[in-house]
Coordinates of all heavy atoms in Angstrom, one line a residue:
M1 N 132.4 102.2 86.9 CA 133.3 101.4 87.8 C 132.5 100.9 88.9 O 131.8 101.6 89.6 CB 134.3 102.4 88.3 CG 135.3 101.9 89.3 SD 136.5 103.2 89.8 CE 136.5 102.8 91.6
P2 N 132.7 99.6 89.1 CA 131.9 98.9 90.3 C 132.5 99.3 91.6 O 133.7 99.6 91.7 CB 132.1 97.4 90.0 CG 133.0 97.3 88.9 CD 133.4 98.6 88.4
Y3 N 131.6 99.4 92.6 CA 132.1 99.7 94.0 C 131.9 98.4 94.8 O 131.0 97.6 94.5 CB 131.2 100.8 94.6 CG 131.4 102.1 93.8 CD1 130.3 102.6 93.1 CD2 132.6 102.8 93.8 CE1 130.4 103.8 92.4 CE2 132.7 104.0 93.1 CZ 131.7 104.5 92.4 OH 131.8 105.7 91.7
L4 N 132.7 98.3 95.8 CA 132.6 97.2 96.8 C 131.7 97.6 97.9 O 131.9 98.6 98.6 CB 134.0 96.8 97.3 CG 134.0 95.7 98.4 CD1 133.5 94.4 97.7 CD2 135.4 95.5 99.0
V5 N 130.6 96.8 98.1 CA 129.6 97.1 99.1 C 129.7 95.9 100.1 O 129.5 94.8 99.6 CB 128.2 97.3 98.6 CG1 127.3 97.7 99.7 CG2 128.2 98.3 97.5
E6 N 129.9 96.2 101.4 CA 130.0 95.1 102.4 C 128.9 95.3 103.5 O 128.7 96.4 103.9 CB 131.3 95.1 103.1 CG 132.5 94.6 102.2 CD 133.8 94.6 103.0 OE1 134.1 95.7 103.6 OE2 134.4 93.6 103.0
F7 N 128.4 94.2 103.9 CA 127.5 94.2 105.1 C 128.0 93.2 106.0 O 128.3 92.0 105.7 CB 126.0 93.8 104.7 CG 125.3 94.9 104.0 CD1 125.5 95.2 102.6 CD2 124.3 95.6 104.7 CE1 124.8 96.2 102.0 CE2 123.6 96.6 104.0 CZ 123.9 96.9 102.7
I8 N 128.2 93.6 107.3 CA 128.8 92.7 108.3 C 127.8 92.7 109.5 O 127.5 93.8 110.0 CB 130.2 93.2 108.8 CG1 131.1 93.1 107.6 CG2 130.7 92.3 109.9 CD1 132.4 94.0 107.8
R9 N 127.4 91.5 109.9 CA 126.5 91.5 111.1 C 127.4 91.2 112.3 O 128.1 90.2 112.4 CB 125.5 90.3 110.9 CG 124.4 90.3 112.0 CD 123.5 89.2 111.7 NE 122.2 89.5 112.3 CZ 121.2 88.6 112.5 NH1 121.4 87.4 112.0 NH2 120.1 88.9 113.1
N10 N 127.3 92.1 113.2 CA 128.2 92.0 114.4 C 127.5 91.0 115.4 O 126.4 90.7 115.3 CB 128.3 93.4 115.1 CG 129.0 94.4 114.2 OD1 130.0 94.1 113.6 ND2 128.4 95.5 114.0
S11 N 128.3 90.6 116.4 CA 127.8 89.6 117.4 C 126.6 90.1 118.2 O 125.8 89.3 118.7 CB 129.0 89.2 118.3 OG 129.5 90.3 119.0
D12 N 126.5 91.5 118.3 CA 125.3 92.0 119.0 C 124.2 92.3 118.0 O 123.2 93.0 118.4 CB 125.7 93.3 119.8 CG 126.2 94.4 118.8 OD1 126.3 94.2 117.6 OD2 126.5 95.5 119.3
S13 N 124.2 91.7 116.8 CA 123.2 91.9 115.8 C 123.1 93.2 115.1 O 122.3 93.5 114.3 CB 121.8 91.5 116.3 OG 121.8 90.1 116.5
T14 N 124.0 94.2 115.5 CA 124.1 95.4 114.8 C 124.7 95.1 113.4 O 125.4 94.1 113.3 CB 124.9 96.5 115.5 OG1 126.2 96.0 115.8 CG2 124.2 96.9 116.8
I15 N 124.5 96.0 112.5 CA 124.9 95.7 111.1 C 125.9 96.9 110.7 O 125.5 98.0 110.8 CB 123.8 95.6 110.1 CG1 122.8 94.5 110.6 CG2 124.2 95.4 108.7 CD1 121.4 94.6 110.0
A16 N 127.1 96.5 110.3 CA 128.0 97.5 109.8 C 128.0 97.4 108.3 O 128.0 96.3 107.7 CB 129.4 97.2 110.3
T17 N 127.9 98.6 107.6 CA 127.9 98.6 106.1 C 129.1 99.5 105.6 O 129.4 100.5 106.3 CB 126.6 99.1 105.5 OG1 126.5 100.5 105.8 CG2 125.4 98.3 106.1
H18 N 129.6 99.1 104.5 CA 130.7 99.9 103.9 C 130.5 99.9 102.4 O 130.0 98.9 101.8 CB 132.1 99.3 104.2 CG 132.4 99.2 105.7 ND1 132.3 98.0 106.3 CD2 132.7 100.1 106.6 CE1 132.6 98.2 107.6 NE2 132.8 99.5 107.8
C19 N 130.8 101.0 101.8 CA 130.8 101.1 100.3 C 131.9 101.9 99.9 O 132.3 102.9 100.6 CB 129.5 101.7 99.8 SG 129.4 101.8 98.0
T20 N 132.6 101.6 98.8 CA 133.8 102.3 98.4 C 133.5 103.5 97.5 O 134.4 104.1 97.0 CB 134.7 101.3 97.6 OG1 134.1 100.7 96.5 CG2 135.3 100.2 98.6
C21 N 132.2 103.8 97.3 CA 131.9 104.9 96.4 C 132.2 106.2 97.1 O 132.3 106.3 98.4 CB 130.4 104.9 96.0 SG 129.2 105.5 97.2
P22 N 132.5 107.3 96.4 CA 132.9 108.6 97.0 C 131.9 109.1 97.9 O 132.3 109.7 99.0 CB 133.1 109.5 95.8 CG 133.3 108.6 94.6 CD 132.6 107.3 94.9
T23 N 130.6 109.0 97.6 CA 129.6 109.6 98.5 C 129.6 108.9 99.8 O 129.6 109.5 100.9 CB 128.2 109.3 97.8 OG1 128.2 109.9 96.5 CG2 127.1 110.0 98.6
S24 N 129.7 107.6 99.8 CA 129.8 106.8 101.1 C 131.0 107.2 101.9 O 131.0 107.3 103.1 CB 129.7 105.3 100.8 OG 129.7 104.6 102.0
Q25 N 132.1 107.3 101.1 CA 133.4 107.7 101.8 C 133.3 109.0 102.5 O 134.0 109.2 103.5 CB 134.6 107.7 100.8 CG 134.8 106.3 100.1 CD 135.2 105.2 101.1 OE1 136.1 105.4 101.9 NE2 134.5 104.1 101.1
N26 N 132.4 109.9 102.0 CA 132.2 111.2 102.7 C 131.1 111.1 103.8 O 130.7 112.1 104.3 CB 131.8 112.2 101.7 CG 132.9 112.6 100.8 OD1 134.1 112.6 101.2 ND2 132.6 113.0 99.5
G27 N 130.7 109.8 104.1 CA 129.7 109.6 105.2 C 128.3 110.1 104.8 O 127.5 110.3 105.7
Q28 N 128.0 110.1 103.5 CA 126.7 110.5 103.1 C 125.8 109.4 102.6 O 126.3 108.3 102.3 CB 126.8 111.6 102.0 CG 127.5 112.9 102.6 CD 127.7 113.9 101.5 OE1 128.0 113.6 100.4 NE2 127.4 115.2 101.9
Y29 N 124.5 109.7 102.3 CA 123.6 108.7 101.8 C 124.2 108.1 100.5 O 124.6 108.7 99.6 CB 122.3 109.4 101.4 CG 121.4 108.6 100.5 CD1 120.5 107.8 101.1 CD2 121.4 108.8 99.1 CE1 119.6 107.0 100.3 CE2 120.6 108.1 98.3 CZ 119.7 107.2 98.9 OH 118.8 106.5 98.1
C30 N 124.2 106.7 100.5 CA 124.8 106.0 99.4 C 123.7 105.0 98.9 O 123.3 104.1 99.6 CB 126.0 105.3 99.9 SG 126.4 103.7 99.0
H31 N 123.3 105.2 97.7 CA 122.2 104.4 97.2 C 122.6 102.9 96.9 O 121.8 102.0 96.9 CB 121.5 105.0 95.9 CG 122.4 104.9 94.7 ND1 123.4 105.8 94.4 CD2 122.4 104.0 93.7 CE1 124.0 105.5 93.3 NE2 123.4 104.4 92.8
H32 N 123.9 102.7 96.9 CA 124.3 101.3 96.7 C 123.9 100.4 97.9 O 123.4 99.3 97.7 CB 125.9 101.2 96.5 CG 126.4 102.2 95.4 ND1 127.1 103.3 95.7 CD2 126.2 102.1 94.1 CE1 127.4 103.9 94.6 NE2 126.8 103.2 93.6
R33 N 124.1 101.0 99.1 CA 123.8 100.2 100.3 C 122.2 100.1 100.4 O 121.7 99.1 100.7 CB 124.4 100.9 101.5 CG 125.9 100.7 101.5 CD 126.5 101.3 102.7 NE 126.5 102.8 102.6 CZ 126.8 103.6 103.6 NH1 127.3 103.1 104.7 NH2 126.8 104.9 103.4
F34 N 121.6 101.2 100.1 CA 120.1 101.2 100.2 C 119.5 100.2 99.2 O 118.5 99.5 99.6 CB 119.5 102.6 100.0 CG 119.5 103.5 101.2 CD1 120.7 104.0 101.7 CD2 118.3 103.9 101.8 CE1 120.7 104.8 102.9 CE2 118.3 104.7 102.9 CZ 119.5 105.1 103.5
N35 N 120.0 100.2 98.0 CA 119.5 99.2 97.0 C 119.6 97.8 97.6 O 118.6 97.0 97.4 CB 120.3 99.3 95.7 CG 119.9 100.6 94.9 OD1 118.9 101.2 95.2 ND2 120.7 100.8 93.9
I36 N 120.7 97.4 98.2 CA 120.8 96.1 98.7 C 119.8 95.8 99.8 O 119.1 94.8 99.9 CB 122.3 95.8 99.2 CG1 123.2 95.7 97.9 CG2 122.3 94.5 100.0 CD1 124.6 95.6 98.2
I37 N 119.7 96.8 100.7 CA 118.7 96.7 101.8 C 117.3 96.5 101.3 O 116.5 95.8 101.8 CB 118.8 97.9 102.8 CG1 120.1 97.9 103.5 CG2 117.6 98.0 103.7 CD1 120.5 99.1 104.2
E38 N 117.0 97.2 100.2 CA 115.7 97.1 99.6 C 115.6 96.0 98.6 O 114.5 95.8 97.9 CB 115.4 98.5 98.9 CG 115.2 99.6 99.9 CD 115.2 101.0 99.2 OE1 115.2 101.1 97.9 OE2 115.1 102.0 99.9
G39 N 116.6 95.2 98.4 CA 116.6 94.0 97.5 C 116.7 94.3 96.1 O 116.3 93.5 95.2
K40 N 117.1 95.5 95.7 CA 117.3 95.9 94.3 C 118.6 95.4 93.8 O 119.7 95.8 94.3 CB 117.2 97.4 94.1 CG 115.8 97.9 94.5 CD 115.9 99.5 94.4 CE 114.5 100.0 94.9 NZ 114.6 101.5 95.2
T41 N 118.6 94.4 92.9 CA 119.9 93.7 92.5 C 120.3 94.1 91.1 O 121.3 93.5 90.7 CB 119.7 92.2 92.7 OG1 118.6 91.8 91.8 CG2 119.4 91.8 94.1
A42 N 119.6 94.9 90.4 CA 119.8 95.1 89.0 C 121.3 95.6 88.7 O 121.8 95.2 87.7 CB 118.8 96.1 88.4
D43 N 121.8 96.4 89.6 CA 123.2 97.0 89.3 C 124.3 96.1 89.9 O 125.5 96.6 89.8 CB 123.2 98.4 89.8 CG 122.3 99.3 89.1 OD1 122.0 99.0 87.9 OD2 121.8 100.3 89.7
I44 N 124.0 95.0 90.5 CA 125.1 94.2 91.1 C 125.8 93.4 90.1 O 125.1 92.7 89.3 CB 124.5 93.3 92.2 CG1 123.9 94.2 93.4 CG2 125.5 92.3 92.8 CD1 123.2 93.4 94.5
V45 N 127.1 93.5 90.1 CA 127.9 92.7 89.1 C 128.7 91.6 89.7 O 129.3 90.8 88.9 CB 128.8 93.7 88.3 CG1 128.1 94.7 87.5 CG2 129.8 94.4 89.2
S46 N 128.6 91.4 91.0 CA 129.4 90.3 91.6 C 128.6 89.0 91.5 O 127.4 89.0 91.1 CB 129.7 90.7 93.1 OG 128.5 90.9 93.8
E47 N 129.2 87.9 91.9 CA 128.6 86.6 91.8 C 127.8 86.2 93.0 O 127.5 85.0 93.2 CB 129.7 85.6 91.5 CG 130.4 85.9 90.2 CD 129.6 85.8 88.9 OE1 128.8 84.9 88.9 OE2 129.8 86.6 88.0
N48 N 127.6 87.1 94.0 CA 126.9 86.7 95.2 C 125.5 87.3 95.4 O 125.2 87.7 96.5 CB 127.9 87.1 96.4 CG 128.2 88.6 96.4 OD1 127.9 89.3 95.5 ND2 128.7 89.0 97.6
L49 N 124.8 87.3 94.4 CA 123.4 87.9 94.4 C 122.6 87.2 95.5 O 121.7 87.9 96.1 CB 122.7 87.7 93.1 CG 123.0 88.7 92.0 CD1 122.2 88.4 90.7 CD2 122.7 90.1 92.4
D50 N 122.8 86.0 95.8 CA 122.0 85.2 96.8 C 122.2 85.8 98.2 O 121.4 85.6 99.0 CB 122.4 83.7 96.7 CG 123.9 83.5 96.9 OD1 124.6 84.2 96.2 OD2 124.2 82.6 97.6
E51 N 123.3 86.5 98.4 CA 123.6 87.1 99.7 C 122.7 88.3 100.0 O 122.6 88.7 101.2 CB 125.1 87.4 99.8 CG 126.0 86.1 99.9 CD 127.4 86.4 100.1 OE1 127.8 87.5 100.6 OE2 128.2 85.6 99.7
V52 N 122.1 88.9 99.0 CA 121.3 90.0 99.2 C 120.1 89.6 100.1 O 119.8 90.3 101.1 CB 120.7 90.6 97.9 CG1 119.7 91.6 98.1 CG2 121.9 91.2 97.1
E53 N 119.5 88.4 99.9 CA 118.4 87.9 100.7 C 118.9 87.8 102.2 O 118.2 88.0 103.1 CB 117.9 86.6 100.2 CG 116.8 86.8 99.1 CD 116.2 85.5 98.7 OE1 116.0 84.6 99.5 OE2 115.9 85.4 97.5
T54 N 120.1 87.3 102.3 CA 120.7 87.1 103.7 C 120.8 88.5 104.4 O 120.4 88.6 105.5 CB 122.1 86.5 103.6 OG1 122.0 85.2 102.9 CG2 122.7 86.3 105.0
V55 N 121.3 89.5 103.7 CA 121.4 90.8 104.3 C 120.0 91.3 104.6 O 119.8 91.9 105.7 CB 122.2 91.8 103.3 CG1 122.0 93.2 103.7 CG2 123.6 91.4 103.2
Q56 N 119.1 91.1 103.7 CA 117.7 91.6 104.0 C 117.1 90.9 105.2 O 116.4 91.5 106.0 CB 116.8 91.3 102.8 CG 117.1 92.3 101.6 CD 116.0 92.2 100.6 OE1 116.0 91.2 99.9 NE2 115.2 93.1 100.5
S57 N 117.5 89.7 105.5 CA 117.0 89.0 106.6 C 117.5 89.5 107.9 O 117.0 89.3 109.0 CB 117.2 87.5 106.5 OG 118.6 87.2 106.8
W58 N 118.6 90.3 107.9 CA 119.2 90.9 109.1 C 118.5 92.2 109.5 O 118.6 92.6 110.6 CB 120.7 91.2 108.8 CG 121.6 90.1 108.5 CD1 121.3 88.8 108.7 CD2 122.9 90.2 108.0 NE1 122.4 88.0 108.3 CE2 123.4 88.9 107.9 CE3 123.7 91.2 107.6 CZ2 124.7 88.6 107.4 CZ3 125.0 91.0 107.1 CH2 125.5 89.7 107.0
I59 N 117.7 92.8 108.5 CA 117.2 94.1 108.8 C 116.1 94.2 109.8 O 116.1 95.1 110.6 CB 116.7 94.7 107.4 CG1 117.9 94.7 106.4 CG2 116.2 96.1 107.6 CD1 119.1 95.5 106.8
P60 N 115.1 93.3 109.8 CA 114.0 93.4 110.7 C 114.5 93.5 112.2 O 115.3 92.6 112.6 CB 113.1 92.1 110.5 CG 113.4 91.8 109.1 CD 114.9 92.2 108.9
G61 N 114.0 94.5 112.9 CA 114.4 94.6 114.3 C 115.7 95.4 114.5 O 116.1 95.7 115.6
S62 N 116.3 95.8 113.4 CA 117.6 96.5 113.5 C 117.4 98.0 113.5 O 116.3 98.5 113.2 CB 118.5 96.1 112.4 OG 118.0 96.7 111.2
E63 N 118.5 98.7 113.9 CA 118.4 100.2 113.8 C 118.2 100.6 112.4 O 117.6 101.7 112.1 CB 119.7 100.8 114.4 CG 119.9 100.7 115.8 CD 121.2 101.2 116.3 OE1 122.1 101.4 115.5 OE2 121.2 101.6 117.5
I64 N 118.7 99.8 111.4 CA 118.5 100.2 110.0 C 117.0 100.2 109.7 O 116.6 101.1 109.0 CB 119.3 99.2 109.1 CG1 120.8 99.4 109.3 CG2 118.9 99.4 107.6 CD1 121.7 98.5 108.5
E65 N 116.3 99.2 110.2 CA 114.9 99.1 109.9 C 114.2 100.4 110.4 O 113.4 101.0 109.7 CB 114.2 97.9 110.5 CG 112.7 97.8 110.2 CD 112.0 96.6 110.8 OE1 112.3 96.4 112.0 OE2 111.2 96.0 110.1
T66 N 114.5 100.7 111.6 CA 113.9 101.9 112.2 C 114.2 103.1 111.4 O 113.3 103.9 111.1 CB 114.5 102.2 113.7 OG1 114.3 101.0 114.4 CG2 113.8 103.3 114.4
A67 N 115.4 103.3 110.9 CA 115.8 104.4 110.1 C 115.1 104.4 108.7 O 114.6 105.4 108.2 CB 117.3 104.5 109.9
M68 N 114.9 103.1 108.2 CA 114.3 103.0 106.9 C 112.8 103.3 106.9 O 112.2 103.9 106.0 CB 114.5 101.6 106.3 CG 115.9 101.2 106.0 SD 116.6 102.2 104.7 CE 115.7 101.7 103.3
V69 N 112.2 103.0 108.1 CA 110.8 103.4 108.3 C 110.6 104.9 108.2 O 109.7 105.4 107.6 CB 110.2 102.8 109.6 CG1 108.9 103.4 110.0 CG2 110.1 101.3 109.5
E70 N 111.5 105.6 108.9 CA 111.5 107.1 108.9 C 111.8 107.6 107.5 O 111.2 108.6 107.1 CB 112.5 107.6 109.9 CG 112.5 109.1 110.1 CD 111.2 109.6 110.8 OE1 110.3 108.8 111.0 OE2 111.1 110.8 110.9
V71 N 112.7 107.0 106.8 CA 113.0 107.4 105.4 C 111.7 107.3 104.6 O 111.4 108.2 103.8 CB 114.1 106.6 104.8 CG1 114.2 106.8 103.3 CG2 115.5 106.9 105.4
Q72 N 111.0 106.2 104.7 CA 109.8 105.9 103.9 C 108.7 107.0 104.3 O 108.1 107.5 103.4 CB 109.3 104.5 104.2 CG 108.1 104.2 103.3 CD 108.5 104.2 101.8 OE1 109.4 103.6 101.3 NE2 107.7 105.0 101.0
R73 N 108.6 107.2 105.6 CA 107.6 108.2 106.1 C 107.9 109.6 105.5 O 107.0 110.2 105.0 CB 107.6 108.3 107.6 CG 106.5 109.1 108.2 CD 106.6 109.3 109.7 NE 107.7 110.1 110.1 CZ 107.7 111.5 110.0 NH1 106.7 112.1 109.5 NH2 108.8 112.2 110.4
L74 N 109.1 110.0 105.5 CA 109.5 111.3 104.9 C 109.3 111.3 103.4 O 108.9 112.3 102.8 CB 110.9 111.7 105.4 CG 111.0 112.0 106.9 CD1 112.5 112.2 107.3 CD2 110.2 113.2 107.2
D75 N 109.7 110.2 102.7 CA 109.5 110.1 101.3 C 108.0 110.3 101.0 O 107.6 111.0 100.0 CB 110.0 108.8 100.7 CG 111.4 108.8 100.3 OD1 112.0 109.9 100.3 OD2 112.0 107.7 100.1
D76 N 107.1 109.7 101.7 CA 105.7 109.8 101.5 C 105.2 111.2 101.8 O 104.4 111.8 101.0 CB 104.9 108.9 102.5 CG 105.1 107.4 102.1 OD1 105.7 107.1 101.0 OD2 104.8 106.5 103.0
E77 N 105.8 111.9 102.8 CA 105.4 113.3 103.1 C 105.8 114.2 102.0 O 105.1 115.1 101.6 CB 106.1 113.7 104.4 CG 105.2 113.9 105.5 CD 105.9 114.4 106.8 OE1 106.6 115.4 106.8 OE2 105.8 113.6 107.8
I78 N 107.0 113.9 101.4 CA 107.5 114.8 100.3 C 106.6 114.6 99.1 O 106.3 115.5 98.4 CB 109.0 114.4 100.0 CG1 109.9 114.9 101.1 CG2 109.4 115.0 98.6 CD1 111.3 114.4 101.1
A79 N 106.2 113.3 98.8 CA 105.4 113.1 97.7 C 104.0 113.8 97.8 O 103.5 114.4 96.9 CB 105.1 111.6 97.5
K80 N 103.5 113.8 99.0 CA 102.2 114.5 99.3 C 102.4 116.0 99.1 O 101.5 116.6 98.6 CB 101.7 114.2 100.7 CG 101.0 112.8 100.8 CD 100.5 112.6 102.3 CE 100.3 111.1 102.5 NZ 100.4 110.8 104.0
A81 N 103.5 116.5 99.6 CA 103.8 117.9 99.5 C 103.9 118.3 98.1 O 103.5 119.4 97.7 CB 105.0 118.3 100.3
K82 N 104.6 117.5 97.3 CA 104.7 117.8 95.8 C 103.4 117.8 95.1 O 103.1 118.7 94.3 CB 105.7 116.8 95.2 CG 107.1 117.0 95.4 CD 108.0 116.0 94.7 CE 109.5 116.3 95.0 NZ 110.3 115.2 94.4
E83 N 102.5 116.9 95.5 CA 101.2 116.8 94.9 C 100.4 118.1 95.3 O 99.8 118.7 94.4 CB 100.4 115.7 95.5 CG 100.5 114.4 94.6 CD 99.7 113.2 95.3 OE1 98.5 113.5 95.7 OE2 100.2 112.1 95.3
L84 N 100.5 118.5 96.5 CA 99.8 119.7 97.0 C 100.4 120.9 96.3 O 99.6 121.8 95.9 CB 100.0 119.8 98.5 CG 99.2 120.9 99.2 CD1 97.7 120.8 99.0 CD2 99.5 120.9 100.7
L85 N 101.7 121.0 96.2 CA 102.3 122.1 95.5 C 101.9 122.2 94.0 O 101.5 123.3 93.6 CB 103.9 122.0 95.6 CG 104.7 123.1 94.9 CD1 104.4 124.4 95.5 CD2 106.2 122.7 95.0
A86 N 101.8 121.1 93.4 CA 101.4 121.1 92.0 C 99.9 121.6 91.9 O 99.6 122.4 91.0 CB 101.5 119.7 91.4
A87 N 99.1 121.2 92.8 CA 97.7 121.6 92.8 C 97.6 123.1 93.0 O 96.8 123.8 92.3 CB 96.9 120.8 93.8
V88 N 98.3 123.6 94.0 CA 98.3 125.0 94.3 C 98.9 125.9 93.1 O 98.3 126.9 92.8 CB 99.1 125.3 95.6 CG1 99.3 126.8 95.8 CG2 98.4 124.7 96.8
K89 N 99.9 125.4 92.4 CA 100.4 126.0 91.3 C 99.4 126.1 90.2 O 99.2 127.1 89.5 CB 101.7 125.3 90.8 CG 102.9 125.7 91.6 CD 104.2 125.0 91.0 CE 105.4 125.4 91.7 NZ 106.6 124.6 91.3
N90 N 98.7 125.0 90.0 CA 97.6 125.0 89.0 C 96.5 126.0 89.3 O 96.0 126.7 88.4 CB 97.0 123.6 88.8 CG 97.9 122.6 88.1 OD1 98.8 123.1 87.3 ND2 97.7 121.4 88.3
E91 N 96.2 126.1 90.6 CA 95.2 127.0 91.1 C 95.7 128.4 90.8 O 94.9 129.3 90.3 CB 95.0 126.8 92.6 CG 93.7 127.1 93.2 CD 93.6 126.7 94.6 OE1 93.5 125.5 94.8 OE2 93.6 127.5 95.5
A92 N 96.9 128.7 91.1 CA 97.5 130.0 90.8 C 97.5 130.4 89.4 O 97.2 131.5 89.0 CB 98.9 130.1 91.4
T93 N 97.8 129.4 88.5 CA 97.7 129.6 87.1 C 96.3 129.9 86.6 O 96.1 130.8 85.8 CB 98.2 128.3 86.3 OG1 99.6 128.0 86.8 CG2 98.3 128.5 84.8
R94 N 95.3 129.2 87.2 CA 93.9 129.5 86.8 C 93.5 130.9 87.2 O 92.9 131.6 86.5 CB 93.0 128.4 87.4 CG 92.9 127.2 86.6 CD 91.7 126.3 87.1 NE 91.9 125.8 88.5 CZ 92.6 124.7 88.8 NH1 93.2 124.0 87.9 NH2 92.7 124.4 90.1
A95 N 94.0 131.3 88.4 CA 93.7 132.6 88.9 C 94.3 133.7 88.0 O 93.7 134.8 87.9 CB 94.2 132.8 90.4
M96 N 95.4 133.4 87.4 CA 96.1 134.4 86.5 C 95.3 134.5 85.2 O 95.5 135.5 84.5 CB 97.5 133.9 86.2 CG 98.4 134.1 87.4 SD 100.1 133.4 87.0 CE 100.7 133.0 88.6
M97 N 94.5 133.5 84.9 CA 93.7 133.6 83.6 C 92.4 134.3 83.8 O 91.7 134.5 82.8 CB 93.5 132.1 83.1 CG 94.8 131.5 82.7 SD 94.4 129.7 82.2 CE 96.0 129.2 81.8
N98 N 92.0 134.6 85.0 CA 90.7 135.3 85.2 C 90.8 136.7 84.7 O 91.8 137.4 84.6 CB 90.4 135.4 86.7 CG 89.9 134.0 87.2 OD1 89.5 133.1 86.4 ND2 90.0 133.7 88.4
Ligands
ZN101 ZN1 128.0 103.6 97.6

């Protein structure tokens, strides 16, 4: 079932976003909105794909950009932690074979 995702640029350049998915309605992370911000259009079924670029042009300098930078930083940290964890697990496995 498709969800309606809206982006509205306010007169003070802040950006309001809405999505009708249950996750978003509960005020939680909604990948539908993130996908549009990141320019991922594969799952969009509406006829306004060209508006994704417009929304993306609103992001630089916005609070959303600041938050997205932090999301990326933490994603990178998690990826590094997972790599480190895998290496330590391998090390533990090798130690068990001694
Ligand atoms: Zn959503």
Side-chain angles (χ1 to χ4, degrees):
M1 176 181 139
Y3 299 112
L4 177 65
V5 185
E6 287 181 308
F7 284 79
I8 299 161
R9 190 179 202 191
N10 299 311
S11 57
D12 64 356
S13 291
T14 57
I15 302 161
T17 71
H18 304 102
C19 178
T20 57
C21 78
T23 306
S24 181
Q25 297 299 306
N26 287 330
Q28 296 177 321
Y29 166 87
C30 152
H31 71 275
H32 307 112
R33 292 179 290 175
F34 275 71
N35 282 351
I36 289 173
I37 289 167
E38 293 169 2
K40 296 175 186 167
T41 58
D43 295 332
I44 296 177
V45 295
S46 58
E47 301 293 321
N48 59 347
L49 278 180
D50 53 318
E51 291 182 23
V52 171
E53 275 184 37
T54 302
V55 167
Q56 284 190 291
S57 75
W58 297 346
I59 304 303
S62 70
E63 289 179 337
I64 292 175
E65 182 184 44
T66 305
M68 293 300 289
V69 167
E70 187 64 0
V71 166
Q72 187 60 56
R73 188 186 70 75
L74 291 170
D75 271 348
D76 291 347
E77 249 180 60
I78 290 168
K80 281 181 203 156
K82 282 182 178 173
E83 269 178 42
L84 187 58
L85 179 61
V88 171
K89 281 181 176 174
N90 285 339
E91 210 171 287
T93 301
R94 277 193 296 276
M96 289 176 204
M97 291 175 182
N98 288 339

